[in-house]
Amino acid sequence: MRLKSVVSSLLLHPLQPGDTIGILGGGQLGRMLALAAAQLGLKTHIYAPEEDSPAFDVATRITQASYEDEEALRVFAESVDVVTYEFENIPLKTAQFVERLNRLHPGAKALSATQDRLIEKQTIAALGLATAPFKAVDQRDDLVKAIEVLGTPSILKTRCFGYDGKGQVMIRAADEAKEAYASLQGAPAILEGFVPFTREISVVAVRAANGAFAAYDVCENIHAHHILSETRLPAAITPATHQKALNMAQSLADALDYVGVLAVEMFVTQDENGAEALIINEMAPRVHNSGHWTLEGAKTSQFEQHIRAICGWPLGSCKRLGTVMMRNLIGVDVDQWQALLQNPDNHLHLYGKSEARQGRKMGHVTQVMAL
Ligand SMILES: Nc1ncnc2c1ncn2[C@@H]1O[C@H](COP(=O)(O)OP(=O)(O)O)[C@@H](O)[C@H]1O
Ligand SMILES: [Mg+2]
């Protein structure tokens, strides 16, 4: 480790082959990042609390410790050349602690703006970009007032720690407020007006340390039980909407001084004349499930782009290579692995998780049909 306590910029000191990337979080995203790093001659050190972390199988070095363990974090941060994270629910304090010891990309600023739904919406709105209408809810009275303003249906969401629809309650009538509020057990929340969208899309983009920006084609996402089920490309949106979505992602990445891959989930709405508009739902400061198709469907995968960006290296091409269908294997879906391998057009990815719990992402399968 060349830096010790002096945090230098990627532009002055890009990583060299043989250097080590530290990754906070040990899920499948960390696993695929570590594989991309290895391809570029880099080592990885994964830090995660769970013993059976999927990324541990493919890393150079692992630390199994809690995100509150400052001694373990210090040893980790000082053993690597740059640190990144593979999920946004690591405590902000952990990210800030690591950022004082080494380079952290994306930085703690990007993490704080994306892990709290209130700050996230305020950040988006401050750039003049559209979000669902929202109100902060810190106590039950706030919820009653918010429902008066936003109406029903509306969705109550915890500000932090939500994913795959967890920490969310749909409110269909004002008299459901009491029960909905109680279900969050006092967690700070926001109420969001329901957006009558026609499609859900996302932009997976990457920004380099020198400000260079690249984005993949917009993808269309289909959810089942609040979990991403399928991603398809091209998205059935107009070229103008497509360009607008990419521009919105670039504004966000620039505003956050972002380095790495950023995913932006959006709703597409249509007025009575069929004109499309875009509303930003949420951002993820990391590689994203809706970008898994890029492993085979784009010139450079999202995982390689993230590694290149956080190493201070030039970005690759985001060009799409065909028509794409990516399907998640959730829970017992993974039992289909043998049948899926019978189709030679399927690219099968399994994350090495031993227990196929309900709702757990076990793998995915991608098909790319040449253009
Ligand atoms: N304001 C909204 N209006 C309509 N549907 C919504 C709204 N917010 C969320 N949803 C639906 O719920 C899904 C999950 O919500 P999201 O905010 O993306 O949380 P998560 O962090 O769980 O992905 C979205 O993909 C969308 O289908
Ligand atoms: Mg989401």
Side-chain angles (χ1 to χ4, degrees):
M1 229 282 308
R2 123 177 37 88
L3 294 163
K4 295 294 172 212
S5 60
V6 184
V7 177
S8 79
S9 87
L10 290 175
L11 294 176
L12 288 175
H13 296 288
L15 271 73
Q16 301 295 310
D19 282 350
T20 303
I21 294 172
I23 303 177
L24 292 162
Q28 63 269 16
L29 301 178
R31 181 180 173 104
M32 290 184 272
L33 283 169
L35 292 170
Q39 187 185 317
L40 293 168
L42 296 153
K43 300 185 190 338
T44 44
H45 184 167
I46 309 283
Y47 187 108
E50 301 84 10
E51 188 186 352
D52 58 351
S53 296
F56 283 174
D57 291 351
V58 298
T60 318
R61 184 171 167 190
I62 65 168
T63 297
Q64 188 201 336
S66 94
Y67 292 124
E68 280 76 33
D69 185 340
E70 293 200 347
E71 182 51 23
L73 281 171
R74 191 185 58 73
V75 172
F76 163 77
E78 291 184 345
S79 77
V80 300
D81 298 283
V82 67
V83 181
T84 189
Y85 41 91
E86 61 108 49
F87 86 136
E88 62 275 35
N89 289 334
I90 54 164
L92 187 59
K93 259 185 83 178
T94 302
Q96 288 164 336
F97 181 81
V98 167
E99 201 170 36
R100 284 196 291 275
L101 297 170
N102 205 331
R103 301 179 284 199
L104 177 76
H105 293 293
K109 176 180 165 188
L111 182 68
S112 71
T114 49
Q115 70 174 194
D116 179 326
R117 292 188 193 276
L118 181 62
I119 301 175
E120 181 175 50
K121 288 219 162 34
Q122 288 167 340
T123 304
I124 297 165
L127 292 172
L129 305 176
T131 67
F134 65 96
K135 292 271 173 209
V137 173
D138 294 321
Q139 47 191 326
R140 202 171 82 198
D141 259 10
D142 295 340
L143 179 57
V144 173
K145 287 189 198 125
I147 293 175
E148 279 169 18
V149 179
L150 301 180
T152 55
S154 47
I155 305 178
L156 185 64
K157 301 182 181 178
T158 55
R159 280 173 57 176
C160 299
F161 307 119
Y163 68 98
D164 290 345
K166 293 186 176 61
Q168 297 193 17
V169 203
M170 172 83 100
I171 299 180
R172 289 175 205 282
D175 63 6
E176 292 171 15
K178 190 175 169 187
E179 201 180 321
Y181 186 76
S183 74
L184 299 190
Q185 301 180 320
I190 60 168
L191 186 73
E192 277 185 39
F194 185 83
V195 178
F197 59 82
T198 50
R199 310 178 181 283
E200 288 192 79
I201 60 169
S202 54
V203 179
V204 177
V206 58
R207 189 171 180 277
N210 66 2
F213 177 86
Y216 295 99
D217 281 354
V218 173
C219 59
E220 194 162 333
N221 300 317
I222 294 138
H223 294 83
H225 313 292
H226 304 285
I227 303 176
L228 181 67
S229 167
E230 276 183 32
T231 293
R232 294 180 193 159
L233 291 100
I237 52 176
T238 65
T241 303
H242 194 277
Q243 189 56 49
K244 201 172 154 200
L246 302 189
N247 294 347
M248 287 164 109
Q250 184 162 14
S251 305
L252 288 165
D254 286 344
L256 296 171
D257 292 329
Y258 202 88
V259 177
V261 167
L262 171 73
V264 187
E265 297 178 13
M266 304 180 190
F267 300 128
V268 184
T269 59
Q270 263 180 354
D271 69 15
E272 58 279 8
N273 303 316
E276 291 172 350
L278 290 173
I279 291 171
I280 297 181
N281 174 28
E282 62 170 353
M283 300 182 270
R286 53 168 169 79
V287 287
H288 195 256
N289 195 170
S290 69
H292 288 1
W293 65 270
T294 61
L295 280 163
E296 294 90 9
K299 280 202 171 172
T300 317
S301 80
Q302 63 166 347
F303 303 101
E304 180 174 337
Q305 294 282 38
H306 187 74
I307 298 295
R308 284 171 175 244
I310 65 169
C311 285
W313 294 1
L315 303 178
S317 163
C318 285
K319 192 174 165 36
R320 180 165 57 91
L321 301 175
T323 301
V324 175
M325 215 277 297
M326 187 288 306
R327 184 161 68 85
N328 271 338
L329 301 174
I330 296 181
V332 294
D333 290 351
V334 72
D335 295 343
Q336 303 161 19
W337 66 272
Q338 279 164 312
L340 290 167
L341 285 173
Q342 297 295 329
N343 180 344
D345 286 329
N346 280 340
H347 295 280
L348 181 67
H349 295 260
L350 300 175
Y351 305 149
K353 298 180 183 177
S354 49
E355 221 188 314
R357 288 195 295 270
Q358 196 187 354
R360 194 172 195 209
K361 290 173 178 168
M362 302 298 293
H364 70 269
V365 60
T366 307
Q367 280 189 9
V368 182
M369 293 302 164
L371 287 171

